[in-house]
Amino acid sequence: MLELISEHACFGGTQRFYRHDSREIGLPMRFSVFIPDGAADAQTRMPALFYLAGLTCNEETFMIKAGAQRAAAQAGLILIAPDTSPRGAGVDGEADSWDFGVGAGFYLDATREPWSRHYRMYSYIHELRELVVRELPVDGARIGIFGHSMGGHGALTMALKRPDVFRSVSAFAPIAAPSKCPWGQKAFGGYLGDDTAAWAQYDASLLMAGLKTPFPAGILIDQGLGDKFLAEQLYPEAFEEACRSAAQPLELRRHALYDHGYYFISTFMEDHIRFHARNLTTV
């Protein structure tokens, strides 16, 4: 059951914040939804776009900072933004680091104790997808996904593992090869253990290398060249090479000066909304 926390008029539609008890997480979880005008009830189904946020963020970050609602209202897309991790799991040390634990669930299902009980963000996103299709005016056959940084990693891996569910995918400055970078190695080691074979199922570059054109309409990625995390953490060139080997169309746009934050994201947000609209607003 959904508990409505708050509701706000926004660009002719409605911005809402919800809480619900999660089966997969085993704790209450929060998420936000923007519903454009024209979807007043569950009888009027609209395409939807999931956004997965990055490290330290929550369900409010995207809706407040990205400037996405105007373009989504014009395109007729519902926006859905979950939190980035469980809250209140009570795992010892879960709030000690900004890049592991609270706010850093990495969109995977942990297998290592004590994280495996609650840190199940991969399965949670699918649970949330089923929930919004059931309770909100979301067309379950027309869902896309995108994200930023850790969330860009999550969007790419979730889409590559389930292209039957997500019809379009894009990302801003994704952690594109987490098995190779400090953020990914810390998260994978902590949540999944030392078996690097288990890491591969959550590494977009490794997943793509084993596929053949999973998204014929293309994948869009924007990357700022002024991003201080680019060289050490992001590895877009690894994903680019994997796409070449998989015959996957990829538009990887590199932008001088832009950094890793929401000034960058908001600059190119409308392009991403339009990209997904082209894929999701057709039958």
Side-chain angles (χ1 to χ4, degrees), residues 47 49 71 75-77 168 271-282:
L49 184 54
L77 292 179
S168 62
D271 291 350
H272 283 249
I273 297 293
R274 290 178 176 175
F275 169 81
H276 287 278
R278 287 195 298 270
N279 290 281
L280 299 176
T281 56
T282 56

Side-chain angles (χ1 to χ4, degrees), residues 91-92 100 108-120 184-195 198-199 201-202:
V91 177
D92 187 39
F100 185 81
L108 53 75
D109 286 351
T111 56
R112 186 180 181 189
E113 294 292 344
W115 308 98
S116 57
R117 180 178 179 185
H118 297 297
Y119 279 74
R120 296 178 49 79
Q185 291 166 356
K186 181 176 182 177
F188 288 176
Y191 293 132
L192 302 174
D194 297 330
D195 181 6
W199 298 8
Q201 65 178 313
Y202 298 112

Side-chain angles (χ1 to χ4, degrees), residues 21 40 68 114 139 161 181 192 198 214:
D21 291 328
D139 183 347
K161 288 161 75 73
C181 77
L192 302 174

Side-chain angles (χ1 to χ4, degrees), residues 90-111:
V91 177
D92 187 39
E94 68 175 351
D96 289 353
S97 300
W98 68 273
D99 56 357
F100 185 81
V102 174
F106 255 81
Y107 303 103
L108 53 75
D109 286 351
T111 56

Side-chain angles (χ1 to χ4, degrees), residues 174-181 184 188 203-206 233-236 238-239:
I175 304 172
S179 297
K180 299 175 63 173
C181 77
F188 288 176
D203 186 308
S205 295
L206 297 177
Q233 302 283 13
L234 305 182
Y235 289 94
F239 188 72

Side-chain angles (χ1 to χ4, degrees), residues 110-143:
T111 56
R112 186 180 181 189
E113 294 292 344
W115 308 98
S116 57
R117 180 178 179 185
H118 297 297
Y119 279 74
R120 296 178 49 79
M121 290 300 295
Y122 177 85
S123 291
Y124 172 68
I125 299 302
H126 285 291
E127 177 190 358
L128 181 59
R129 174 181 55 81
E130 295 169 358
L131 178 65
V132 297
V133 169
R134 185 172 66 246
E135 300 291 339
L136 298 174
V138 171
D139 183 347
R142 294 188 292 165
I143 296 178

